[in-house]
Amino acid sequence: MSNLPEVQEQPQEQAEMSFLDHLEELRWHIIRAVLAIGIFTIAAFLFIQRIYEQVILSPAKTDFWTYKMMCKLADMLGTQGLCIDSLPFIIQNRTMTGQFTMAITTSLVVGLICAFPYAFWEVWRFISPGMHLNERSVARGAVFYVSLLFGIGITFGYFILAPLSINFLSNFTVSPTILNEFDLVSYVSTITTLVLACGILFQLPMVVYFLTKTGLVTPDMLKTYRRHSIVVIFFLGAMLTPPDPFSQVLIALPLIGLYQFSMLISKRTYKKMKAEE
């Protein structure tokens, strides 16, 4: 009976040390992820002028790749309505620290985008050891597919959503006597918000895949709540994009397509699970 307290205290001590070890491991994963973001951020800041000229300000120029492709499509269809040959606005800086602040903000966004695959890999390295063997097999390739969808979303936001939104907002006027002179902060915030929002929202197929694997979602459930999901998609588009209906519709349409694609993924995954059972 005298040895009973020692037997009871030993597992508690081991559990406490195990928890602290997990916290220490998580801390180092976070440090490495933040360090990678910081390295890319510093590198982007060193080349910030080139990034602004060739990346950030490019959608505000009529020789941007998207506008060129739209003009070629207009020539093929025999209509000039699709060709964008003018963007009637200028970008101004109205605050003393505006350009420096935007340089830091842009560098941080570029660093986050470039380091995202590695940062997610670090997070995944911390999560995966706690999974069961069958859960690891289910989640195999998660880093690749998450990074791929993130890259597709970023590309869509930059080459499709951002230039079309800029064209719409710059040409929309309530009176021809009012000139569009956009503030640098407003312009950069619009570009970065649209691009990052697309990168995040394009993770929908992976989310549906994992929810289906865990049994929280079924294909019939997705089909039943399709109309509700469309409302949620438009709500997310309103929350994550600038407050104009054009951008919200532009980001909602591909998300509806992704939802349909996610339904196919869920259906295929569900059939495979039933076959294995």
Side-chain angles (χ1 to χ4, degrees):
M1 296 294 294
S2 60
N3 294 332
L4 184 59
E6 296 180 1
V7 175
Q8 291 177 344
E9 291 177 3
Q10 186 175 1
Q12 183 178 0
E13 183 179 357
Q14 290 178 352
E16 183 179 356
M17 290 300 295
S18 177
F19 176 72
L20 293 177
D21 289 342
H22 275 80
L23 286 181
E24 180 68 15
E25 184 180 358
L26 175 62
R27 184 172 73 92
W28 281 108
H29 283 298
I30 294 176
I31 288 175
R32 286 192 290 267
V34 173
L35 184 61
I37 296 174
I39 292 174
F40 279 103
T41 300
I42 293 174
F45 187 80
L46 295 177
F47 296 94
I48 194 62
Q49 187 172 0
R50 183 175 299 178
I51 290 175
Y52 261 82
E53 289 294 332
Q54 299 181 3
V55 179
I56 303 299
L57 298 178
S58 290
K61 303 174 183 177
T62 55
D63 60 350
F64 188 56
W65 180 85
T66 304
Y67 304 141
K68 289 182 178 179
M69 294 299 104
M70 293 180 67
C71 288
K72 289 183 179 180
L73 180 61
D75 293 337
M76 292 175 57
L77 298 177
T79 175
Q80 295 300 317
L82 293 176
C83 187
I84 299 173
D85 53 5
S86 65
L87 295 171
F89 73 95
I90 61 174
I91 301 175
Q92 293 184 346
N93 176 50
R94 295 185 175 90
T95 60
M96 183 72 71
T97 60
Q99 295 196 46
F100 180 73
T101 303
M102 285 299 99
I104 296 178
T105 302
T106 304
S107 300
L108 182 60
V109 172
V110 173
L112 178 62
I113 293 174
C114 294
F116 177 82
Y118 177 79
F120 182 79
W121 179 67
E122 284 289 348
V123 175
W124 187 253
R125 285 178 60 195
F126 174 76
I127 297 175
S128 57
M131 294 181 174
H132 296 291
L133 185 60
N134 60 338
E135 293 175 340
R136 292 186 190 180
S137 62
V138 167
R140 187 177 301 169
V143 175
F144 171 77
Y145 288 111
V146 168
S147 301
L148 177 64
L149 289 173
F150 183 77
I152 294 174
I154 293 296
T155 303
F156 175 83
Y158 180 72
F159 285 101
I160 304 298
L161 186 58
L164 294 181
S165 298
I166 290 173
N167 174 63
F168 171 77
L169 295 174
S170 63
N171 284 281
F172 180 82
T173 58
V174 294
S175 174
T177 61
I178 301 177
L179 300 177
N180 284 327
E181 298 179 354
F182 299 148
D183 185 68
L184 176 64
V185 176
S186 175
Y187 174 82
V188 175
S189 299
T190 301
I191 294 291
T192 55
T193 300
L194 291 173
V195 171
L196 289 178
C198 288
I200 295 172
L201 293 176
F202 269 58
Q203 302 300 321
L204 180 62
M206 288 299 296
V207 174
V208 171
Y209 172 77
F210 282 110
L211 291 178
T212 303
K213 277 293 188 179
T214 56
L216 296 176
V217 169
T218 62
D220 293 335
M221 184 186 300
L222 293 175
K223 187 176 181 180
T224 302
Y225 292 99
R226 182 187 304 175
R227 296 180 179 179
H228 303 80
S229 301
I230 292 176
V231 176
V232 174
I233 286 173
F234 275 95
F235 176 75
L236 289 175
M239 293 293 294
L240 297 176
T241 58
D244 66 276
F246 185 78
S247 300
Q248 296 168 10
V249 172
L250 276 181
I251 199 172
L253 291 178
L255 285 178
I256 294 174
L258 281 175
Y259 185 83
Q260 295 295 124
F261 179 66
S262 300
M263 289 178 59
L264 296 177
I265 292 178
S266 179
K267 185 177 181 180
R268 181 178 179 182
T269 304
Y270 190 76
K271 285 184 177 180
K272 187 176 180 180
M273 290 170 58
K274 289 298 182 181
E276 291 176 355
E277 292 177 359

